[in-house]
Short mmCIF file of all heavy atoms in Angstrom, two decimals:
data_model
loop_
_atom_site.label_atom_id
_atom_site.label_comp_id
_atom_site.label_asym_id
_atom_site.label_seq_id
_atom_site.Cartn_x
_atom_site.Cartn_y
_atom_site.Cartn_z
N MET A 42 -14.36 18.86 -2.36
CA MET A 42 -15.10 17.70 -1.83
C MET A 42 -14.21 16.47 -1.89
O MET A 42 -13.45 16.27 -2.85
CB MET A 42 -16.38 17.48 -2.67
CG MET A 42 -17.14 16.23 -2.31
SD MET A 42 -18.56 15.97 -3.41
CE MET A 42 -19.76 17.03 -2.62
N LYS A 43 -14.36 15.65 -0.85
CA LYS A 43 -13.67 14.36 -0.79
C LYS A 43 -14.69 13.26 -0.59
O LYS A 43 -15.69 13.47 0.09
CB LYS A 43 -12.72 14.31 0.41
CG LYS A 43 -11.35 14.85 0.19
CD LYS A 43 -10.57 14.82 1.49
CE LYS A 43 -9.83 13.52 1.72
NZ LYS A 43 -8.55 13.48 1.00
N ALA A 44 -14.44 12.09 -1.15
CA ALA A 44 -15.26 10.92 -0.89
C ALA A 44 -14.35 9.84 -0.34
O ALA A 44 -13.30 9.55 -0.92
CB ALA A 44 -15.96 10.44 -2.14
N ILE A 45 -14.74 9.27 0.78
CA ILE A 45 -13.93 8.24 1.41
C ILE A 45 -14.80 6.99 1.58
O ILE A 45 -15.87 7.05 2.18
CB ILE A 45 -13.43 8.71 2.79
CG1 ILE A 45 -12.59 9.97 2.63
CG2 ILE A 45 -12.61 7.61 3.47
CD1 ILE A 45 -12.45 10.77 3.91
N VAL A 46 -14.33 5.87 1.04
CA VAL A 46 -15.04 4.61 1.19
C VAL A 46 -14.48 3.89 2.41
O VAL A 46 -13.27 3.67 2.52
CB VAL A 46 -14.87 3.72 -0.04
CG1 VAL A 46 -15.56 2.37 0.17
CG2 VAL A 46 -15.44 4.41 -1.29
N ASP A 47 -15.37 3.55 3.32
CA ASP A 47 -14.96 2.78 4.50
C ASP A 47 -14.89 1.30 4.11
O ASP A 47 -15.92 0.67 3.85
CB ASP A 47 -15.97 2.98 5.63
CG ASP A 47 -15.53 2.31 6.93
OD1 ASP A 47 -14.78 1.31 6.86
OD2 ASP A 47 -15.95 2.77 8.00
N PRO A 48 -13.69 0.72 4.04
CA PRO A 48 -13.56 -0.66 3.59
C PRO A 48 -14.20 -1.66 4.55
O PRO A 48 -14.49 -2.79 4.15
CB PRO A 48 -12.04 -0.87 3.50
CG PRO A 48 -11.46 0.15 4.42
CD PRO A 48 -12.40 1.32 4.42
N ASP A 49 -14.42 -1.25 5.78
CA ASP A 49 -15.08 -2.16 6.72
C ASP A 49 -16.58 -2.24 6.48
O ASP A 49 -17.22 -3.22 6.86
CB ASP A 49 -14.82 -1.71 8.17
CG ASP A 49 -13.36 -1.87 8.54
OD1 ASP A 49 -12.70 -2.78 8.00
OD2 ASP A 49 -12.88 -1.06 9.36
N LEU A 50 -17.14 -1.19 5.86
CA LEU A 50 -18.58 -1.16 5.57
C LEU A 50 -18.89 -1.64 4.17
O LEU A 50 -19.94 -2.23 3.91
CB LEU A 50 -19.13 0.26 5.77
CG LEU A 50 -19.15 0.79 7.20
CD1 LEU A 50 -19.64 2.24 7.22
CD2 LEU A 50 -20.04 -0.07 8.07
N CYS A 51 -18.00 -1.36 3.20
CA CYS A 51 -18.25 -1.71 1.79
C CYS A 51 -18.35 -3.23 1.65
O CYS A 51 -17.48 -3.96 2.11
CB CYS A 51 -17.13 -1.17 0.91
SG CYS A 51 -17.30 -1.65 -0.83
N ILE A 52 -19.45 -3.66 1.00
CA ILE A 52 -19.64 -5.10 0.76
C ILE A 52 -19.36 -5.45 -0.71
O ILE A 52 -19.67 -6.56 -1.15
CB ILE A 52 -21.06 -5.56 1.15
CG1 ILE A 52 -22.12 -4.73 0.42
CG2 ILE A 52 -21.24 -5.48 2.67
CD1 ILE A 52 -23.54 -5.26 0.57
N GLY A 53 -18.86 -4.47 -1.46
CA GLY A 53 -18.49 -4.74 -2.85
C GLY A 53 -19.67 -4.92 -3.78
O GLY A 53 -19.58 -5.65 -4.78
N CYS A 54 -20.77 -4.25 -3.48
CA CYS A 54 -21.99 -4.44 -4.29
C CYS A 54 -21.83 -3.87 -5.70
O CYS A 54 -22.54 -4.28 -6.61
CB CYS A 54 -23.19 -3.81 -3.60
SG CYS A 54 -23.14 -2.02 -3.60
N GLY A 55 -20.96 -2.90 -5.87
CA GLY A 55 -20.70 -2.36 -7.20
C GLY A 55 -21.62 -1.24 -7.64
O GLY A 55 -21.55 -0.78 -8.78
N ILE A 56 -22.50 -0.79 -6.76
CA ILE A 56 -23.43 0.26 -7.15
C ILE A 56 -22.69 1.57 -7.43
O ILE A 56 -22.97 2.25 -8.42
CB ILE A 56 -24.51 0.47 -6.07
CG1 ILE A 56 -25.46 -0.73 -6.07
CG2 ILE A 56 -25.29 1.76 -6.31
CD1 ILE A 56 -26.50 -0.72 -4.97
N CYS A 57 -21.76 1.94 -6.57
CA CYS A 57 -21.14 3.27 -6.74
C CYS A 57 -20.37 3.39 -8.07
O CYS A 57 -20.52 4.41 -8.75
CB CYS A 57 -20.33 3.70 -5.53
SG CYS A 57 -19.00 2.62 -5.02
N PRO A 58 -19.59 2.39 -8.50
CA PRO A 58 -18.98 2.54 -9.83
C PRO A 58 -20.00 2.47 -10.97
O PRO A 58 -19.75 3.02 -12.05
CB PRO A 58 -17.97 1.39 -9.91
CG PRO A 58 -18.35 0.45 -8.85
CD PRO A 58 -19.06 1.23 -7.79
N ASP A 59 -21.15 1.82 -10.74
CA ASP A 59 -22.21 1.85 -11.76
C ASP A 59 -22.79 3.25 -11.88
O ASP A 59 -23.03 3.74 -12.98
CB ASP A 59 -23.34 0.87 -11.40
CG ASP A 59 -23.02 -0.55 -11.81
OD1 ASP A 59 -22.00 -0.76 -12.48
OD2 ASP A 59 -23.81 -1.45 -11.45
N VAL A 60 -23.06 3.87 -10.73
CA VAL A 60 -23.67 5.20 -10.72
C VAL A 60 -22.67 6.25 -11.18
O VAL A 60 -23.00 7.16 -11.94
CB VAL A 60 -24.17 5.53 -9.29
CG1 VAL A 60 -24.63 6.98 -9.19
CG2 VAL A 60 -25.30 4.59 -8.90
N ALA A 61 -21.44 6.14 -10.71
CA ALA A 61 -20.42 7.18 -10.96
C ALA A 61 -19.09 6.53 -11.33
O ALA A 61 -18.14 6.52 -10.54
CB ALA A 61 -20.27 8.06 -9.72
N PRO A 62 -18.99 6.00 -12.56
CA PRO A 62 -17.75 5.33 -12.96
C PRO A 62 -16.56 6.29 -13.04
O PRO A 62 -15.41 5.84 -12.99
CB PRO A 62 -18.08 4.74 -14.33
CG PRO A 62 -19.26 5.50 -14.82
CD PRO A 62 -20.02 5.92 -13.60
N GLN A 63 -16.86 7.60 -13.13
CA GLN A 63 -15.76 8.57 -13.15
C GLN A 63 -15.11 8.69 -11.78
O GLN A 63 -13.96 9.12 -11.66
CB GLN A 63 -16.29 9.96 -13.53
CG GLN A 63 -17.01 10.02 -14.86
CD GLN A 63 -18.53 9.86 -14.69
OE1 GLN A 63 -19.00 9.18 -13.78
NE2 GLN A 63 -19.29 10.47 -15.59
N LEU A 64 -15.86 8.32 -10.74
CA LEU A 64 -15.42 8.60 -9.37
C LEU A 64 -15.01 7.38 -8.57
O LEU A 64 -14.23 7.50 -7.63
CB LEU A 64 -16.55 9.32 -8.61
CG LEU A 64 -17.04 10.62 -9.23
CD1 LEU A 64 -18.16 11.20 -8.40
CD2 LEU A 64 -15.90 11.62 -9.35
N PHE A 65 -15.57 6.19 -8.95
CA PHE A 65 -15.30 5.00 -8.14
C PHE A 65 -14.95 3.82 -9.04
O PHE A 65 -15.47 3.69 -10.14
CB PHE A 65 -16.52 4.63 -7.29
CG PHE A 65 -16.96 5.70 -6.35
CD1 PHE A 65 -17.98 6.56 -6.68
CD2 PHE A 65 -16.32 5.87 -5.13
CE1 PHE A 65 -18.37 7.57 -5.82
CE2 PHE A 65 -16.71 6.87 -4.25
CZ PHE A 65 -17.73 7.73 -4.60
N GLU A 66 -14.08 2.98 -8.54
CA GLU A 66 -13.80 1.72 -9.21
C GLU A 66 -13.69 0.63 -8.15
O GLU A 66 -13.42 0.92 -6.98
CB GLU A 66 -12.50 1.79 -10.03
CG GLU A 66 -11.27 1.91 -9.17
CD GLU A 66 -9.98 1.89 -9.97
OE1 GLU A 66 -10.04 1.82 -11.21
OE2 GLU A 66 -8.91 1.96 -9.33
N MET A 67 -13.91 -0.62 -8.59
CA MET A 67 -13.74 -1.72 -7.67
C MET A 67 -12.27 -2.14 -7.69
O MET A 67 -11.65 -2.29 -8.75
CB MET A 67 -14.61 -2.91 -8.07
CG MET A 67 -16.11 -2.60 -8.08
SD MET A 67 -16.73 -1.82 -6.57
CE MET A 67 -16.44 -3.14 -5.38
N GLY A 68 -11.71 -2.34 -6.51
CA GLY A 68 -10.33 -2.77 -6.40
C GLY A 68 -10.22 -4.29 -6.41
O GLY A 68 -11.23 -5.00 -6.38
N THR A 69 -9.00 -4.77 -6.46
CA THR A 69 -8.78 -6.22 -6.42
C THR A 69 -9.21 -6.80 -5.07
O THR A 69 -9.37 -8.01 -4.94
CB THR A 69 -7.30 -6.55 -6.68
OG1 THR A 69 -6.51 -5.81 -5.76
CG2 THR A 69 -6.90 -6.19 -8.10
N ASP A 70 -9.42 -5.93 -4.10
CA ASP A 70 -9.90 -6.36 -2.78
C ASP A 70 -11.43 -6.42 -2.72
O ASP A 70 -12.00 -6.63 -1.66
CB ASP A 70 -9.36 -5.41 -1.69
CG ASP A 70 -9.74 -3.96 -1.94
OD1 ASP A 70 -10.37 -3.66 -2.99
OD2 ASP A 70 -9.41 -3.11 -1.09
N ASP A 71 -12.08 -6.20 -3.90
CA ASP A 71 -13.54 -6.19 -3.98
C ASP A 71 -14.17 -5.08 -3.14
O ASP A 71 -15.32 -5.18 -2.72
CB ASP A 71 -14.15 -7.54 -3.58
CG ASP A 71 -13.99 -8.58 -4.68
OD1 ASP A 71 -13.89 -8.19 -5.85
OD2 ASP A 71 -13.96 -9.78 -4.35
N LYS A 72 -13.42 -4.03 -2.92
CA LYS A 72 -13.94 -2.84 -2.26
C LYS A 72 -13.87 -1.69 -3.25
O LYS A 72 -13.03 -1.68 -4.15
CB LYS A 72 -13.08 -2.46 -1.02
CG LYS A 72 -12.87 -3.59 -0.04
CD LYS A 72 -14.11 -3.89 0.75
CE LYS A 72 -13.83 -4.99 1.77
NZ LYS A 72 -15.02 -5.33 2.55
N ALA A 73 -14.78 -0.74 -3.08
CA ALA A 73 -14.75 0.44 -3.95
C ALA A 73 -13.62 1.37 -3.53
O ALA A 73 -13.29 1.48 -2.34
CB ALA A 73 -16.08 1.17 -3.87
N HIS A 74 -13.03 2.04 -4.53
CA HIS A 74 -11.98 3.02 -4.29
C HIS A 74 -12.29 4.29 -5.05
O HIS A 74 -12.87 4.25 -6.14
CB HIS A 74 -10.62 2.46 -4.73
CG HIS A 74 -10.20 1.27 -3.95
ND1 HIS A 74 -9.47 1.36 -2.78
CD2 HIS A 74 -10.46 -0.05 -4.12
CE1 HIS A 74 -9.28 0.14 -2.29
NE2 HIS A 74 -9.86 -0.73 -3.09
N THR A 75 -11.89 5.41 -4.47
CA THR A 75 -12.15 6.69 -5.10
C THR A 75 -11.10 6.98 -6.16
O THR A 75 -9.91 6.74 -5.94
CB THR A 75 -12.10 7.80 -4.02
OG1 THR A 75 -12.91 7.41 -2.93
CG2 THR A 75 -12.60 9.12 -4.58
N LEU A 76 -11.54 7.48 -7.31
CA LEU A 76 -10.63 7.77 -8.41
C LEU A 76 -10.16 9.22 -8.44
O LEU A 76 -9.17 9.52 -9.09
CB LEU A 76 -11.31 7.44 -9.75
CG LEU A 76 -11.60 5.96 -9.99
CD1 LEU A 76 -12.47 5.79 -11.21
CD2 LEU A 76 -10.30 5.20 -10.17
N MET A 77 -10.89 10.10 -7.79
CA MET A 77 -10.53 11.52 -7.83
C MET A 77 -10.46 12.08 -6.42
O MET A 77 -11.36 11.86 -5.62
CB MET A 77 -11.56 12.33 -8.63
CG MET A 77 -11.59 12.02 -10.10
SD MET A 77 -12.76 13.14 -10.92
CE MET A 77 -12.82 12.38 -12.54
N ASP A 78 -9.42 12.81 -6.13
CA ASP A 78 -9.25 13.43 -4.82
C ASP A 78 -8.43 14.71 -5.00
O ASP A 78 -7.23 14.59 -5.26
CB ASP A 78 -8.56 12.48 -3.84
CG ASP A 78 -8.40 13.09 -2.46
OD1 ASP A 78 -9.11 14.08 -2.16
OD2 ASP A 78 -7.55 12.59 -1.71
N PRO A 79 -9.02 15.86 -4.89
CA PRO A 79 -10.42 16.12 -4.57
C PRO A 79 -11.32 15.87 -5.77
O PRO A 79 -10.83 15.71 -6.88
CB PRO A 79 -10.40 17.61 -4.18
CG PRO A 79 -9.30 18.19 -5.00
CD PRO A 79 -8.25 17.11 -5.06
N ILE A 80 -12.62 15.86 -5.51
CA ILE A 80 -13.60 15.66 -6.57
C ILE A 80 -13.96 17.01 -7.18
O ILE A 80 -14.38 17.92 -6.45
CB ILE A 80 -14.84 14.94 -6.01
CG1 ILE A 80 -14.42 13.53 -5.57
CG2 ILE A 80 -15.96 14.90 -7.04
CD1 ILE A 80 -15.45 12.80 -4.79
N PRO A 81 -13.79 17.14 -8.49
CA PRO A 81 -14.10 18.43 -9.13
C PRO A 81 -15.58 18.79 -8.98
O PRO A 81 -16.44 17.91 -8.88
CB PRO A 81 -13.76 18.19 -10.61
CG PRO A 81 -12.93 16.96 -10.66
CD PRO A 81 -13.30 16.15 -9.45
N VAL A 82 -15.85 20.07 -8.97
CA VAL A 82 -17.20 20.57 -8.67
C VAL A 82 -18.24 19.99 -9.62
O VAL A 82 -19.38 19.74 -9.20
CB VAL A 82 -17.21 22.12 -8.66
CG1 VAL A 82 -16.91 22.69 -10.05
CG2 VAL A 82 -18.52 22.64 -8.11
N GLU A 83 -17.87 19.73 -10.85
CA GLU A 83 -18.88 19.22 -11.80
C GLU A 83 -19.35 17.80 -11.45
O GLU A 83 -20.35 17.33 -11.97
CB GLU A 83 -18.36 19.28 -13.24
CG GLU A 83 -17.13 18.46 -13.54
CD GLU A 83 -15.84 19.26 -13.41
OE1 GLU A 83 -15.78 20.18 -12.55
OE2 GLU A 83 -14.89 18.97 -14.17
N PHE A 84 -18.63 17.13 -10.57
CA PHE A 84 -19.01 15.77 -10.17
C PHE A 84 -19.61 15.71 -8.77
O PHE A 84 -19.89 14.62 -8.27
CB PHE A 84 -17.79 14.84 -10.25
CG PHE A 84 -17.31 14.57 -11.64
CD1 PHE A 84 -16.00 14.87 -12.01
CD2 PHE A 84 -18.15 14.00 -12.58
CE1 PHE A 84 -15.55 14.61 -13.29
CE2 PHE A 84 -17.70 13.73 -13.86
CZ PHE A 84 -16.40 14.04 -14.23
N HIS A 85 -19.80 16.85 -8.14
CA HIS A 85 -20.29 16.83 -6.75
C HIS A 85 -21.67 16.19 -6.63
O HIS A 85 -21.91 15.37 -5.74
CB HIS A 85 -20.32 18.25 -6.17
CG HIS A 85 -18.96 18.74 -5.81
ND1 HIS A 85 -18.76 19.94 -5.16
CD2 HIS A 85 -17.72 18.22 -6.03
CE1 HIS A 85 -17.45 20.12 -4.97
NE2 HIS A 85 -16.81 19.10 -5.50
N ALA A 86 -22.59 16.55 -7.53
CA ALA A 86 -23.95 16.00 -7.46
C ALA A 86 -23.92 14.49 -7.71
O ALA A 86 -24.61 13.72 -7.02
CB ALA A 86 -24.85 16.70 -8.46
N LEU A 87 -23.11 14.08 -8.66
CA LEU A 87 -22.99 12.65 -8.96
C LEU A 87 -22.42 11.89 -7.76
O LEU A 87 -22.86 10.79 -7.43
CB LEU A 87 -22.10 12.47 -10.19
CG LEU A 87 -21.97 11.06 -10.74
CD1 LEU A 87 -23.30 10.56 -11.28
CD2 LEU A 87 -20.90 11.01 -11.84
N CYS A 88 -21.45 12.49 -7.12
CA CYS A 88 -20.83 11.87 -5.95
C CYS A 88 -21.84 11.69 -4.83
O CYS A 88 -21.93 10.62 -4.21
CB CYS A 88 -19.66 12.74 -5.49
SG CYS A 88 -18.78 12.03 -4.08
N ARG A 89 -22.64 12.72 -4.59
CA ARG A 89 -23.67 12.61 -3.54
C ARG A 89 -24.69 11.54 -3.90
O ARG A 89 -25.16 10.80 -3.04
CB ARG A 89 -24.37 13.95 -3.33
CG ARG A 89 -23.50 14.96 -2.61
CD ARG A 89 -24.33 16.07 -1.98
NE ARG A 89 -23.45 17.03 -1.33
CZ ARG A 89 -22.93 18.08 -1.95
NH1 ARG A 89 -23.20 18.30 -3.22
NH2 ARG A 89 -22.13 18.89 -1.31
N ASP A 90 -25.02 11.46 -5.18
CA ASP A 90 -25.98 10.47 -5.65
C ASP A 90 -25.44 9.06 -5.38
O ASP A 90 -26.15 8.19 -4.86
CB ASP A 90 -26.21 10.68 -7.15
CG ASP A 90 -27.43 9.95 -7.66
OD1 ASP A 90 -28.29 9.59 -6.84
OD2 ASP A 90 -27.53 9.74 -8.88
N ALA A 91 -24.19 8.82 -5.72
CA ALA A 91 -23.58 7.51 -5.49
C ALA A 91 -23.55 7.19 -4.00
O ALA A 91 -23.88 6.06 -3.59
CB ALA A 91 -22.17 7.48 -6.08
N ALA A 92 -23.18 8.16 -3.20
CA ALA A 92 -23.12 7.93 -1.75
C ALA A 92 -24.51 7.61 -1.19
O ALA A 92 -24.66 6.72 -0.35
CB ALA A 92 -22.53 9.15 -1.05
N ASP A 93 -25.53 8.32 -1.70
CA ASP A 93 -26.90 8.09 -1.22
C ASP A 93 -27.39 6.69 -1.59
O ASP A 93 -28.21 6.11 -0.88
CB ASP A 93 -27.85 9.13 -1.83
CG ASP A 93 -27.68 10.49 -1.20
OD1 ASP A 93 -27.01 10.59 -0.16
OD2 ASP A 93 -28.22 11.46 -1.76
N GLN A 94 -26.89 6.17 -2.71
CA GLN A 94 -27.38 4.86 -3.16
C GLN A 94 -26.61 3.68 -2.55
O GLN A 94 -27.02 2.53 -2.72
CB GLN A 94 -27.30 4.79 -4.69
CG GLN A 94 -28.30 5.73 -5.35
CD GLN A 94 -28.45 5.46 -6.83
OE1 GLN A 94 -28.61 4.32 -7.26
NE2 GLN A 94 -28.36 6.52 -7.62
N CYS A 95 -25.54 3.95 -1.86
CA CYS A 95 -24.79 2.86 -1.25
C CYS A 95 -25.64 2.21 -0.15
O CYS A 95 -26.05 2.89 0.80
CB CYS A 95 -23.48 3.38 -0.65
SG CYS A 95 -22.60 2.08 0.26
N PRO A 96 -25.92 0.93 -0.26
CA PRO A 96 -26.79 0.27 0.72
C PRO A 96 -26.14 0.17 2.11
O PRO A 96 -26.83 -0.08 3.10
CB PRO A 96 -27.02 -1.12 0.13
CG PRO A 96 -25.84 -1.36 -0.76
CD PRO A 96 -25.45 -0.01 -1.30
N GLN A 97 -24.84 0.37 2.16
CA GLN A 97 -24.11 0.25 3.42
C GLN A 97 -23.77 1.60 4.04
O GLN A 97 -23.14 1.64 5.09
CB GLN A 97 -22.79 -0.50 3.18
CG GLN A 97 -22.97 -1.95 2.80
CD GLN A 97 -23.48 -2.75 3.98
OE1 GLN A 97 -24.63 -3.17 4.01
NE2 GLN A 97 -22.65 -2.93 4.98
N ALA A 98 -24.12 2.68 3.33
CA ALA A 98 -23.71 4.02 3.75
C ALA A 98 -22.19 4.04 4.01
O ALA A 98 -21.72 4.60 5.00
CB ALA A 98 -24.48 4.48 4.98
N ALA A 99 -21.46 3.39 3.09
CA ALA A 99 -20.02 3.25 3.27
C ALA A 99 -19.22 4.42 2.71
O ALA A 99 -18.01 4.50 2.91
CB ALA A 99 -19.55 1.95 2.59
N ILE A 100 -19.90 5.31 1.97
CA ILE A 100 -19.19 6.42 1.33
C ILE A 100 -19.43 7.69 2.13
O ILE A 100 -20.54 8.19 2.21
CB ILE A 100 -19.66 6.62 -0.12
CG1 ILE A 100 -19.51 5.32 -0.91
CG2 ILE A 100 -18.86 7.76 -0.78
CD1 ILE A 100 -20.16 5.36 -2.28
N GLU A 101 -18.37 8.18 2.72
CA GLU A 101 -18.44 9.44 3.47
C GLU A 101 -18.04 10.57 2.54
O GLU A 101 -16.98 10.51 1.89
CB GLU A 101 -17.49 9.38 4.66
CG GLU A 101 -17.54 10.60 5.53
CD GLU A 101 -16.45 10.58 6.61
OE1 GLU A 101 -16.10 9.49 7.08
OE2 GLU A 101 -15.96 11.66 6.94
N VAL A 102 -18.89 11.57 2.45
CA VAL A 102 -18.63 12.72 1.58
C VAL A 102 -18.37 13.94 2.45
O VAL A 102 -19.19 14.29 3.30
CB VAL A 102 -19.83 12.99 0.64
CG1 VAL A 102 -19.56 14.22 -0.22
CG2 VAL A 102 -20.09 11.76 -0.25
N ASN A 103 -17.21 14.54 2.25
CA ASN A 103 -16.85 15.74 3.00
C ASN A 103 -16.80 16.92 2.05
O ASN A 103 -16.17 16.85 1.01
CB ASN A 103 -15.45 15.59 3.63
CG ASN A 103 -15.42 14.50 4.66
OD1 ASN A 103 -16.41 14.26 5.34
ND2 ASN A 103 -14.30 13.83 4.76
N ASP A 104 -17.47 17.99 2.42
CA ASP A 104 -17.43 19.21 1.59
C ASP A 104 -16.15 19.97 1.82
O ASP A 104 -15.51 19.82 2.82
CB ASP A 104 -18.62 20.10 1.89
CG ASP A 104 -19.90 19.49 1.33
OD1 ASP A 104 -19.90 19.16 0.14
OD2 ASP A 104 -20.87 19.36 2.08
FE1 F3S C 144 -19.25 -0.59 -1.62
FE2 F3S C 144 -21.29 0.97 -1.23
FE3 F3S C 144 -19.90 1.17 -3.42
S1 F3S C 144 -21.14 -1.16 -0.63
S2 F3S C 144 -19.19 -0.90 -3.82
S3 F3S C 144 -19.19 1.59 -1.35
S4 F3S C 144 -22.10 1.39 -3.26
#
């Protein structure tokens, strides 16, 4: 699984690193960045949860 944050959609709300700090961090550009590529299977559910909670639908999750 891969998670890709679209920097044009991300508004820097900080929800995804709150939900999944193992997977996302805020960059100096105030956009979220993915910490793991690929995402290990034990974090797949968490990754989907973070993506679902993004108000901008900025996180694309590819299986
Ligand atoms: Fe950005 Fe969405 Fe995360 S707006 S900070 S990608 S929850």
